Amino acid sequence: MGPGGLPALLGLACCLLLLGGSRGLGSRGTTRWPWEEEQGPMAEGEPWSGARYEAVKKHLGAVGALSKQYWQYLTCKVWQEGCEEEQEEASSPSPGWGLPLVGQDYLEILSAWYCRFGGCCQTGDCKVVNNVTGLAADLNGQLHGQHLAKEVVIQAVQGFLQTPQPEKALVLSFHGWSGTGKNFVARMVASHLYWDGMKSECVRLFISLFHFPHRMYVDSYKAQLKNQISETVQRCKQPLFIFDEAEKLHFGLLDAIKPFMAHYDSKSKVDYRRSIFLFLSNLGGNTINEVALDFWRAGRAREEISMELLEQRLRLELQEPAENGYAHSHLLEENLIDFFVPFLPLEYHHVKLCARDAFLARGLPYTEAALDEVARMMVFVPKEEKLFSAQGCKSVSQRINYFLP
C-alpha cells in the first residue's frame, strides 16, 4: 500500500476521533461538542444562530487542517515522505488545535501495524514480538516427554530477554536422538520471538552438511559465515542463529562465530549481546538414553531425572577428544555454552501423543486404535525392552497418511 491509498480513510478516522473530543470510545452520558463549550448547550429543535454556525465552521476547519497534519506525520513515519514539510510547519506556530497525545498514540500504533506487513523497519525491531508466555504454553502443550527441555528453554530465554544489558549472547546446546524435538523447539522459539518466525530476516538457519559440505572450502565458509552473521546482527537488534547437525560442524568455522558469542568487547562497533545461538546435535544422545533406561529399570519415573545429573554426563562425553575436529569440545573449552538442553528418548505413549497432534493439525478425526496403530509402526529399542522409539516422532506425520480416505 503506497502513500496515496490511505488519505481518505485516515482523514475520516481523524475526524471521528477529534470530533468526539477527549471522550473515550463507549463512554456514556451526553456528548458535549467543542463548540458547545464556547456557545453553551442548545435545546433540541432550536435553530442555529450565526455565531454557532461560525463556531462549528471554525472547528470543522481545524479538524480538516489537523487531519492533514496527521497524514503528513504518518507518511513521514512510515514512508519517509513529506518530512521536510512537516519540519517546516513544526517550526512555525499553527493556529487551531495542537496534535493531541491520544492522536500521537494512534499514529504510532498505525505506523507499527503497517511495519508488520511492510518493509519500513530498517533494524527489524518491529518484527520482534518476544511472546514468552505463548512459547511456554506451546512447549507445555505440544512438546511431549521433555520436562527438562521445557524448563531450561523457558527459563533461559525468559531470563535473557528480561536482562537489560546481558554480558554476552545467549548460547543453548540441544542434545538428543533424532526425532526427540530439537528442531521442533528451535522453530517454536523462532515463531514466538519473531513475527515471521523462521521466515524472519532476523533468523538464520545453517545446516552443516548443506551449507558447509566440503572441508577444503572451510576458509571460504568462514568468511561467508562471518559476513552473514555480522550483517544480521547489524540489521536486527535481536538475531537468532540456528546451527543444525552441529556435530558435523567443522571446528575451524568456530573461529568465525566465536567473537559473536563471547563476552562483549566494548571496543567492538557492533553490539551482539542480544544475539541468540542454538546448536542442535545428536551427540550425547546415547548418554541421555542410558540414563533414562537406568531410571526405568530401577522403577523410577523419567521426571525424576535431574538437570544436574544429565549435564555432568554430557560434559564428560563432550570433553572427550573431538573426532574429525568437531566444534563442540571447543565450545566447552571457550566456556561459550550457557545451557545444555537434553532431549530424552520418547516412549510408546509419547509417540501416540505425537500422532494425536498430527491428526489434529490436519483437522482429521482419530481413534485410540488409530493412534496405537501409528505407534506400532515405529521401531522401538533396546531389543529386549523395546522401550524407546528409535526415530522419536520424526516420521509420525507422514505415517498418518495411511489413514487418509
Side-chain angles (χ1 to χ4, degrees):
M1 182 184 298
L6 281 178
L9 178 60
L10 184 63
L12 176 61
C14 289
C15 289
L16 293 175
L17 173 66
L18 297 172
L19 282 174
S22 59
R23 298 177 61 84
L25 293 176
S27 59
R28 299 181 179 180
T30 303
T31 302
R32 291 186 60 83
W33 303 103
W35 52 83
E36 292 181 351
E37 302 294 338
E38 300 177 7
Q39 302 295 325
M42 180 179 67
E44 185 176 357
E46 178 183 340
W48 283 28
S49 64
R52 187 178 302 279
Y53 174 78
E54 290 299 326
V56 173
K57 182 178 179 181
K58 169 187 172 183
H59 283 286
L60 287 176
V63 168
L66 187 55
S67 296
K68 181 181 178 182
Q69 293 181 27
Y70 271 99
W71 178 246
Q72 290 173 349
Y73 177 84
L74 179 63
T75 55
C76 175
K77 283 284 185 180
V78 176
W79 295 289
Q80 305 299 315
E81 297 179 6
C83 299
E84 298 79 5
E85 182 179 353
E86 180 186 5
Q87 292 172 358
E88 292 175 0
E89 293 184 2
S91 61
S92 60
S94 56
W97 297 342
L99 193 64
L101 178 60
V102 64
Q104 292 181 358
D105 291 341
Y106 276 113
L107 284 173
E108 292 294 344
I109 292 172
L110 183 58
S111 177
W113 172 83
Y114 176 82
C115 284
R116 300 285 191 191
F117 303 96
C120 61
C121 296
Q122 297 298 323
T123 62
D125 292 1
C126 69
K127 302 290 187 181
V128 179
V129 294
N130 288 344
N131 182 13
V132 180
T133 302
L135 174 62
D138 280 354
L139 285 175
N140 287 322
Q142 300 179 35
L143 183 63
H144 307 301
Q146 305 296 352
H147 68 285
L148 293 175
K150 294 177 186 178
E151 179 182 355
V152 175
V153 169
I154 293 172
Q155 290 183 356
V157 172
Q158 186 173 41
F160 178 73
L161 296 179
Q162 291 177 347
T163 304
Q165 295 291 336
E167 296 181 356
K168 63 182 291 294
L170 176 64
V171 182
L172 304 182
S173 187
F174 292 6
H175 297 270
W177 267 8
S178 177
T180 52
K182 300 186 298 296
N183 269 283
F184 183 68
V185 172
R187 293 177 181 276
M188 193 177 290
V189 169
S191 67
H192 285 88
L193 297 191
Y194 305 92
W195 181 267
D196 297 321
M198 292 295 296
K199 296 180 180 179
S200 172
E201 60 184 4
C202 298
V203 178
R204 298 302 303 266
L205 170 64
F206 300 99
I207 304 174
S208 295
L209 292 184
F210 179 78
H211 291 95
F212 321 112
H214 304 293
R215 281 178 165 270
M216 65 183 71
Y217 301 129
V218 168
D219 290 338
S220 176
Y221 295 151
K222 287 170 60 176
Q224 295 174 16
L225 182 59
K226 184 176 180 179
N227 288 337
Q228 290 175 357
I229 293 178
S230 180
E231 290 174 359
T232 306
V233 171
Q234 293 180 50
R235 182 171 60 247
C236 304
K237 69 172 184 179
Q238 181 189 293
L240 171 64
F241 303 100
I242 303 172
F243 290 85
D244 196 7
E245 299 179 350
E247 71 274 10
K248 301 177 179 72
L249 186 67
H250 192 276
F251 78 92
L253 294 174
L254 195 62
D255 293 334
I257 58 178
K258 276 195 301 185
F260 300 99
M261 296 187 294
H263 284 75
Y264 179 63
D265 181 5
S266 58
K267 298 179 182 179
S268 175
K269 296 181 181 179
V270 180
D271 189 351
Y272 40 78
R273 290 175 293 178
R274 278 291 170 193
S275 304
I276 301 175
F277 289 84
L278 305 181
F279 291 89
L280 285 52
S281 172
N282 291 339
L283 199 66
N286 289 336
T287 296
I288 296 171
N289 293 357
E290 289 173 4
V291 172
L293 184 60
D294 290 342
F295 269 66
W296 181 83
R297 287 172 174 168
R300 301 175 64 183
R302 60 192 282 136
E303 288 74 20
E304 296 181 37
I305 300 175
S306 67
M307 188 64 222
E308 292 75 15
L309 174 61
L310 275 183
E311 182 171 348
Q312 182 181 10
R313 299 281 188 92
L314 281 173
R315 284 186 176 275
L316 289 175
E317 179 175 345
L318 297 177
Q319 285 174 348
E320 294 178 358
E323 295 182 7
N324 300 322
Y326 174 58
H328 247 94
S329 61
H330 297 272
L331 290 174
L332 285 172
E333 292 171 3
E334 300 284 344
N335 294 316
L336 297 177
I337 298 176
D338 297 305
F339 296 93
F340 289 97
V341 184
F343 285 77
L344 301 174
L346 299 182
E347 300 177 15
Y348 185 89
H349 64 282
H350 299 134
V351 176
K352 287 183 62 177
L353 291 174
C354 292
R356 180 204 64 186
D357 292 347
F359 276 106
L360 292 175
R362 296 195 188 185
L364 298 174
Y366 65 89
T367 63
E368 283 296 317
L371 300 184
D372 280 317
E373 189 166 353
V374 172
R376 285 195 294 268
M377 292 179 180
M378 312 299 285
V379 176
F380 287 84
V381 295
K383 187 176 180 179
E384 296 77 15
E385 292 88 350
K386 297 185 182 296
L387 182 61
F388 304 133
S389 171
Q391 303 140 297
C393 284
K394 196 161 192 175
S395 60
V396 165
S397 60
Q398 288 77 28
R399 291 179 187 272
I400 67 171
N401 292 330
Y402 176 79
F403 299 91
L404 298 180

